[in-house]
Amino acid sequence: KWNNEPTNDLPSEMLYIKDCDKNKYWSMVSRIANDMAYVIKYGYGYSEYIQVCDDILQNVTVYVPEKEASKNIIISLKNLNNNKRNFKLYYYMDAILGEDILKTEGNIICNYEKNRIGIKNIFSNQFEKEVFVRSSEKISKIYTSPKEFFGNNLDTRCPEAIIYKKENENSTEFFKSNSVVMECDIKLNEFEKKDIIIKITTDEETKNINLYEALISLEDTKSMWNQKLSRVKINTPSKQLNIFINGCCMYQTL
């Protein structure tokens, strides 16, 4: 969603991770609940967020595959110490599925089954397709409203469901909500690295999400953009102008 608020643009997607052994949590790819330094790489066709928190090297890559109506988020977690670790990963999303939230709120229905969350706008001619949120890891729990996850104060810095270990029961019944949160349990052995893929798509596919295929599609996406942007090149005495025109300007325009 887009907020017409220049000083406080609340994200419509958020990733949190919790160290269950230390009862410590933080947000990923944003400073909502995380003051640690991080590196962001903006490439052609993808964005990458790199950070070390609590002896965990986390790398989040976001991209849109060239030939799919989907968005992929690849989350790589590497344990940097010699202890076994237990984590919970949370993915929060506001689904608009239309022009703006004022016109779609109350019209979004969701359901949970087969390790995927289905989201559909039942009163829209603009966006009639159902959107599916899927994970390569088993979804252990879902939360069906912002208040259920964040609490009555809707404080994104202190999600009550993470802090107080709220118990709820997953349901395969349809429920009305613009917001949905999925939770996954992640275990890491000593110095182990694990990759988790979150896929937001209009494809009803039920096969398992394949890391190898996701990495191949990421490289294909990068290659497609590099080929497209290399067709026109300028060479002037200004190195800054060359860098701006040769890639950046065309990429932003397209």
Side-chain angles (χ1 to χ4, degrees):
K1 67 181 179 182
W2 175 74
N3 293 308
N4 190 20
E5 172 53 68
T7 60
N8 184 27
D9 186 17
L10 184 65
S12 56
E13 286 180 289
M14 284 176 270
L15 280 166
Y16 296 89
I17 189 168
K18 179 179 182 178
D19 185 331
C20 300
D21 303 316
K22 298 181 180 178
N23 198 27
K24 179 181 178 181
Y25 71 93
W26 61 91
S27 60
M28 305 170 75
V29 309
S30 72
R31 286 189 178 272
I32 292 174
N34 188 341
D35 292 327
M36 300 291 290
Y38 57 92
V39 174
I40 303 177
K41 294 167 60 178
Y42 291 121
Y44 298 136
Y46 71 99
S47 294
E48 191 172 351
Y49 306 82
I50 306 165
Q51 188 175 45
V52 176
C53 282
D54 196 31
D55 283 337
I56 291 293
L57 172 61
Q58 55 191 44
N59 185 304
V60 181
T61 303
V62 184
Y63 72 100
V64 174
E66 176 191 0
K67 299 177 181 179
E68 296 180 27
S70 66
K71 171 182 176 177
N72 287 355
I73 304 171
I74 302 177
I75 304 164
S76 296
L77 301 174
K78 181 175 176 59
N79 185 5
L80 298 180
N81 69 35
N82 58 354
N83 297 315
K84 293 183 179 181
R85 317 283 297 275
N86 296 293
F87 296 93
K88 288 186 180 293
L89 180 70
Y90 302 86
Y91 173 68
Y92 169 91
M93 181 177 74
D94 277 331
I96 307 303
L97 304 189
E99 185 177 344
D100 61 53
I101 195 169
L102 294 177
K103 295 182 179 179
T104 66
E105 192 167 23
N107 298 330
I108 304 293
I109 59 170
C110 307
N111 75 303
Y112 170 72
E113 61 178 348
K114 297 179 181 178
N115 208 49
R116 72 181 187 186
I117 302 168
I119 309 170
K120 186 174 179 60
N121 187 343
I122 56 177
F123 294 113
S124 174
N125 294 323
Q126 295 177 322
F127 200 97
E128 297 178 340
K129 292 184 177 182
E130 187 170 7
V131 172
F132 300 96
V133 182
R134 306 179 64 244
S135 170
S136 59
E137 293 289 315
K138 179 176 175 55
I139 300 174
S140 57
K141 191 178 296 185
I142 60 170
Y143 300 88
T144 60
S145 72
K147 286 188 176 181
E148 183 184 11
F149 183 67
F150 294 113
N152 291 329
N153 293 329
L154 298 179
D155 189 346
T156 58
R157 297 167 299 176
C158 307
E160 289 187 3
I162 299 179
I163 297 173
Y164 301 116
K165 302 179 183 179
K166 280 189 174 181
E167 297 295 333
N168 72 339
E169 294 183 2
N170 289 338
S171 172
T172 56
E173 299 296 325
F174 286 93
F175 55 91
K176 280 191 173 185
S177 178
N178 278 76
S179 304
V180 66
V181 185
M182 73 177 194
E183 174 186 314
C184 299
D185 296 321
I186 309 294
K187 296 183 183 298
L188 291 176
N189 292 321
E190 302 91 331
F191 303 109
E192 182 185 5
K193 178 178 176 291
K194 177 170 283 190
D195 296 302
I196 304 102
I197 305 170
I198 297 173
K199 194 178 188 73
I200 302 98
T201 179
T202 56
D203 190 347
E204 293 188 43
E205 63 179 4
T206 56
K207 65 181 181 179
N208 293 331
I209 300 177
N210 186 291
L211 175 62
Y212 176 76
E213 291 179 356
L215 294 176
I216 291 296
S217 71
L218 173 58
E219 292 306 313
D220 289 344
T221 301
K222 292 179 180 179
S223 177
M224 179 273 292
W225 276 110
N226 287 331
Q227 290 177 16
K228 183 173 291 190
L229 300 176
S230 63
R231 294 174 185 172
V232 176
K233 281 193 178 294
I234 68 166
N235 186 14
T236 75
S238 171
K239 184 181 292 186
Q240 291 89 342
L241 181 63
N242 294 342
I243 292 173
F244 175 64
I245 296 296
N246 295 335
C248 295
C249 183
M250 290 186 286
Y251 179 69
Q252 292 295 333
T253 301
L254 291 171

